[in-house]
């Protein structure tokens, strides 16, 4: 499959009926997420609203990409972005009794609350209240102008109230470092490694990394390109029509609270134990990079000085083949656990990650505030991902990689950022290093508390616009 070229006529037919934010992130600074439950006796009104919303407000992938080109050329931002997602229960509430037969993905069909044995998520009774009850749909709004989105949301909530119950409303806000890159609340650049679907993005990757994906040489360490099949499936409720292809995507939403203070203290403790002889700041930075697998600016920790490129912040052309012992990037590091980069199997697990931070900070994250200035809760990541299969992609990564003590090797420990232990045994979060950059280090085995807590979420499908208009 060739990469997606928005100027290609055939691709154009796909993009027109596909919701935005799928093959490329919408990129707005602020988001609103409205979770609703349809009233059983007002389904006709709910369907009518969805049809109108699909017609007038939803942003297609095609419109989004046109806005993107306009922004690149004329610096005119794209305005408000909108998307709509349904749960399996949502389809049923709308009168689709055959959801089970139409969709293949068991995770989607049974919903996140029933998958605790796979995700090791806390029991829903411990989730935030708004996520505990049955959710039917999520509306995602994104905008660079908070006020405009706020006014729209206010009007929308009034409309939704007429035929649904509002479970909860969540808000996301991008935070950026001084280089303009989006970061998460622990202070690390996020979103560097993404599957790339668009022709121009792939060309930029080739140019930035000095590689040619179609004619690989030894210089090519990681191929980020992906076919649309990695995240899209034909919309099961739209009859196949080659003139009007209709695609959708499974969507995961998870509200993940971050205990920034505990994480920052852990960086200090590990840094002190491992690198007693380097400066305070450097030892903390290095320790953090070992937990994440990248430095705060996004540079991969696996690259040593010889490999380093002048600006390695957005660097993604690397793998771990030359670091089998984990002495340069520990096996448990978040990015190594969640994408081991060993070949086709790992490539098939990739997702389009579209998360955004939530919660307010009084002290700028990039200032690296000292521990006592940092929040212990109330901030985190609204994790979102698109994939062709929740079971094979999101759940596989969470269950078999992040949550597994023995991946990639015996006694590796669970992912220090997102790992959720099956037993709750603190020893599952271990930090033991054989060596650091080829040098022996003191035997450090630190066990950590959990820095990230799941507060609620759900599995959705982003239907094709064709489906929503035809409801
Ligand atoms: C990459 C942080 C949750 C999967 C990253 C990166 C950071 C980060 C800083 C490096 C930037 C990049 O390579 O794009 C976090 C934080 C989380 C979180 C703070 C929670 C609060 C998750 C979850 C998953 C996940 C729930 C999936 C189960 C990934 C993947 C990558 C990544 C697949 C890219 C790895 C690669 O391709 O090299 N994350 N993440 N993350 N994260 Fe997370």
């Amino acid at each position: 499959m060739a990469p997606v070229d928005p100027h290609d006529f055939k691709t154009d037919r796909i993009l027109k009926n596909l919701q935005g934010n799928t093959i490329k992130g919408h990129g707005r600074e602020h988001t609103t997420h409205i979770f609703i439950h349809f009233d059983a006796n007002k389904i006709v009104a709910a369907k009518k609203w969805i049809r109108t919303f699909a017609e007038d407000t939803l942003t297609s992938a095609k419109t989004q990409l046109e806005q993107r080109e306009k922004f690149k050329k004329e610096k005119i931002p794209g305005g408000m972005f909108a998307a709509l997602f349904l749960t399996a229960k949502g389809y049923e509430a709308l009168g689709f009794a055959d959801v089970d037969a139409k969709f293949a993905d068991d995770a989607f069909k049974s919903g996140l609350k029933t998958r605790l044995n796979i995700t090791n998520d806390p029991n829903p009774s411990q989730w935030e209240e708004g996520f505990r009850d049955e959710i039917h749909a999520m509306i995602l709004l994104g905008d660079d102008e908070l006020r405009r989105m706020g006014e729209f949301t206010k009007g929308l909530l009034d409309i939704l109230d007429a035929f649904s119950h509002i479970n909860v409303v969540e808000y996301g806000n991008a935070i950026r470092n001084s280089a303009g890159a989006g970061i998460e609340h622990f202070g690390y650049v996020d979103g560097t490694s993404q599957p790339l679907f668009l022709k121009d993005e792939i060309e930029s990757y080739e140019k930035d990394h000095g590689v040619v994906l179609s004619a690989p040489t030894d210089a090519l360490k990681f191929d980020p390109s992906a076919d649309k099949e990695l995240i899209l499936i034909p919309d099961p409720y739209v009859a196949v029509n080659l003139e009007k292809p209709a695609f959708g995507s499974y969507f995961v939403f998870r509200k993940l609270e971050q205990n920034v203070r505990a994480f920052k203290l852990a960086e200090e403790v590990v840094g002190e134990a491992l690198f007693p002889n380097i400066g305070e700041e450097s030892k903390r930075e290095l320790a953090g990079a070992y937990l994440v697998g990248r430095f705060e600016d996004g540079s991969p920790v696996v690259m040593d000085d010889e490999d380093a490129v002048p600006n390695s912040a957005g660097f993604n052309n690397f793998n771990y083949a030359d670091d089998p012992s984990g002495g340069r990037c520990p096996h448990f590091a978040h990015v190594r656990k969640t994408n081991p980069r060993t070949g086709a199997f790992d490539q098939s697990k990739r997702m389009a990650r579209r998360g955004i931070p939530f919660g307010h900070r009084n002290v700028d994250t990039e200032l690296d505030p000292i521990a006592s200035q940092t929040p212990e809760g109330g901030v985190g990541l609204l994790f979102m991902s698109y994939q062709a299969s929740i079971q094979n992609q999101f759940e596989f990564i969470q269950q078999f990689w992040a949550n597994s003590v023995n991946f990639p090797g015996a006694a590796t420990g669970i992912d220090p950022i997102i790992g959720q232990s099956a037993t709750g045994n603190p020893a599952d979060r271990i930090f033991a290093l054989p060596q650091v950059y080829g040098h022996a280090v003191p035997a450090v085995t630190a066990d950590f508390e959990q820095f990230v807590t799941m507060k609620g979420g759900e599995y959705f499908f982003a239907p094709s616009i064709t489906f929503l208009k035809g409801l």
Side-chain angles (χ1 to χ4, degrees), residues 10 13 239-245:
K10 285 202 201 84
R13 287 189 290 205
V240 175
N241 175 349
L242 294 181
E243 292 303 310
K244 277 190 184 171

Side-chain angles (χ1 to χ4, degrees), residues 4-8 10-20 22-23 59-63 65 198 232 245 247 465:
V4 177
D5 179 352
H7 302 293
D8 178 306
K10 285 202 201 84
T11 311
D12 192 68
R13 287 189 290 205
I14 295 176
L15 298 178
K16 260 200 310 218
N17 293 318
L18 173 68
Q19 294 204 55
T22 41
I23 54 173
T59 314
S60 69
K62 178 176 155 70
T63 304
L65 295 181
L198 297 173
L232 302 185
F247 284 90
I465 299 179

